[in-house]
Amino acid sequence: MADTTVRIDGNTLRLPGGVAVRFIRTLRLPETGTHPLPPGLGEFPVRRVADFADRVPEEMRARGGVMLPVYLREAMWLHFGGTSEPAALQVGVGKVCAVSGRPWSDTLSRDPQNYVVLPRQPWLDGINSGTGTVRQFVAVPLGLGATVEGQVTGEEVWGGVQLRAFPLNDRELAAWRAQQRRLGQARPASAPTGYGAPAAGGPVGAPGGFGAAMPVAAPPSAGGPGVPMPMAAPPAPGSVPPAPRAAAAPAGAAPAGPPRAPAAMGLGVGGAMRQEVYADDRPLTDWSRQAAGRVFVHLVTPPEWRRITGEAAPPSPVDRAAYTRAGLPWFDYYDQDAEDLTAPDALQAVKPVGDWLGDDHEPWQPPAPGQVQQLKDTPGRPVEDGDW
């Protein structure tokens, strides 16, 4: 039987079939206008719910999966670099598909497409909202109606983020692997290999790279995605066995408290940015009918994170004006060989969180033209799934 285990490697979620997902902290965009891709400001820390089963609410324990801390109105994007083989990845926000706007489905669909194609889709910053654009993922509490889930379904039950990966079927996967072996034999020894590796002259050749955590007090240092930077979150323990429950918390950490009702969080939308959600150029029959694995990602408030884990959450999101004044980069990404998916009506109608929470009074400083960079033409213990 195929392994359906999801694991945490550092702060990377590794789903069966070679899918790698990181959750990246970023600048929140204004809710008017269309903007370049905002930079990565470090990874969100990710922890297994099962490691804190005696401290999380029953609802979280039943759904299993992982959790990460987010501030009110904090923005994030999903990074898929490091995915090793082709995959179709479903992304749900409160069990509403971020690509199609339809309810969460156990199967792949093409009309409308309800998944992103990896590794062609290098990242996803928000819901599919229009021609060549997405609306930024922004964290908001459940109960206001501001989430995508609330606006599309009329109720807020699930919150969080849901991921499910489908590999190629056996025949197509064998053909793809054979092609990769032929390419590997013909490739010069100095050339990078594998999906997620830096292409010569490609996006990660730029200082910091799109997805690398950037400092805000100094220019970015050279390096690609994953380079440790000052705002990066501490990694999960990985394959190291966790300390016993009765062990003392780390120095400076708050003692974990008993379970209580969570301040549940979901994803609404913020500003628009130039990003395409690519149409699949394979027949739907190329993909397996069975998912390789799935995971529920709970979003918790920083106080809840500290109470549950004993760890401090990352610092609050960086001031946008300070980032722009420092001269750090923004990005544009375009793949001329890919076709953009038409945005569904349900997602185009989703209103930004400011309509519920009020205007954003933080001053906005747009990047100077020179700051926008053009890009491109499994260790660890298993994550327990639950009932969702």
Side-chain angles (χ1 to χ4, degrees):
M1 181 179 294
D3 182 13
T4 60
T5 303
V6 177
R7 299 181 185 275
I8 297 178
D9 180 5
N11 291 317
T12 300
L13 274 182
R14 297 201 179 275
L15 281 72
V19 172
V21 182
R22 289 189 295 154
F23 298 86
I24 308 297
R25 310 183 76 216
T26 191
L27 300 178
R28 184 162 50 85
L29 299 176
E31 294 176 357
T32 57
T34 302
H35 306 275
L37 300 177
L41 298 174
E43 303 167 350
F44 286 91
V46 178
R47 303 290 182 263
R48 298 180 347 131
V49 168
D51 287 338
F52 305 94
D54 58 338
R55 306 172 195 170
V56 299
E58 173 58 32
E59 188 175 82
M60 285 181 64
R61 189 161 58 248
R63 294 173 183 173
V66 299
M67 59 185 170
L68 59 84
V70 289
Y71 291 87
L72 175 65
R73 279 188 166 181
E74 184 168 17
M76 71 165 63
W77 51 274
L78 277 59
H79 185 281
F80 307 129
T83 295
S84 59
E85 294 185 332
L89 180 69
Q90 293 178 320
V91 180
V93 286
K95 295 187 71 172
V96 171
C97 177
V99 177
S100 71
R102 299 287 180 87
W104 184 254
S105 170
D106 290 338
T107 59
L108 297 180
S109 169
R110 198 57 158 274
D111 187 21
Q113 183 175 312
N114 67 348
Y115 57 95
V116 293
V117 182
L118 309 186
R120 163 153 271 175
Q121 190 82 39
W123 40 70
L124 186 65
D125 288 60
I127 64 170
N128 184 21
S129 61
T131 304
T133 67
V134 300
R135 296 297 296 265
Q136 188 175 41
F137 292 134
V138 176
V140 286
L142 302 187
L144 300 177
T147 62
V148 176
E149 175 186 4
Q151 295 187 57
V152 172
T153 71
E155 56 183 3
E156 293 179 318
V157 176
W158 300 99
V161 177
Q162 298 77 39
L163 302 172
R164 182 190 280 116
F166 290 78
L168 291 172
N169 63 41
D170 292 343
R171 182 189 68 253
E172 294 299 325
L173 183 57
W176 179 86
R177 287 173 174 171
Q179 180 187 44
Q180 296 308 299
R181 287 193 293 270
R182 291 192 297 270
L183 292 174
Q185 292 170 358
R187 185 182 289 114
S190 59
T193 60
Y195 285 123
V204 295
F210 185 54
M214 297 289 189
V216 291
S221 61
V227 175
M229 303 294 267
M231 293 189 70
S239 58
V240 179
R245 292 287 179 203
R260 65 184 185 188
M265 301 285 280
L267 290 179
V269 301
M273 69 190 79
R274 292 185 288 276
Q275 181 178 97
E276 294 178 323
V277 180
Y278 297 128
D280 189 3
D281 57 6
R282 288 179 174 272
L284 192 61
T285 52
D286 279 8
W287 301 106
S288 171
R289 293 190 177 187
Q290 298 295 324
R294 68 174 195 167
V295 63
F296 196 110
V297 182
H298 303 267
L299 309 180
V300 302
T301 63
E304 279 292 286
W305 175 265
R306 189 176 183 91
R307 185 193 64 79
I308 293 169
T309 68
E311 304 172 29
S316 59
V318 66
D319 175 77
R320 301 180 308 208
Y323 186 93
T324 298
R325 286 196 304 269
L328 300 173
W330 295 70
F331 302 90
D332 269 328
Y333 182 92
Y334 176 67
D335 186 336
Q336 64 179 0
D337 298 323
E339 179 184 352
D340 182 40
L341 283 176
T342 302
D345 292 341
L347 295 185
Q348 290 191 63
V350 173
K351 300 184 188 313
V353 298
D355 285 16
W356 277 262
L357 302 179
D359 293 336
D360 181 5
H361 299 295
E362 183 181 347
W364 171 249
Q365 291 190 9
Q371 286 179 264
V372 180
Q373 299 183 9
Q374 182 68 43
L375 303 182
K376 183 182 166 57
D377 159 325
T378 316
R381 301 178 63 210
V383 173
E384 293 184 7
D385 193 16
D387 183 12
W388 50 276

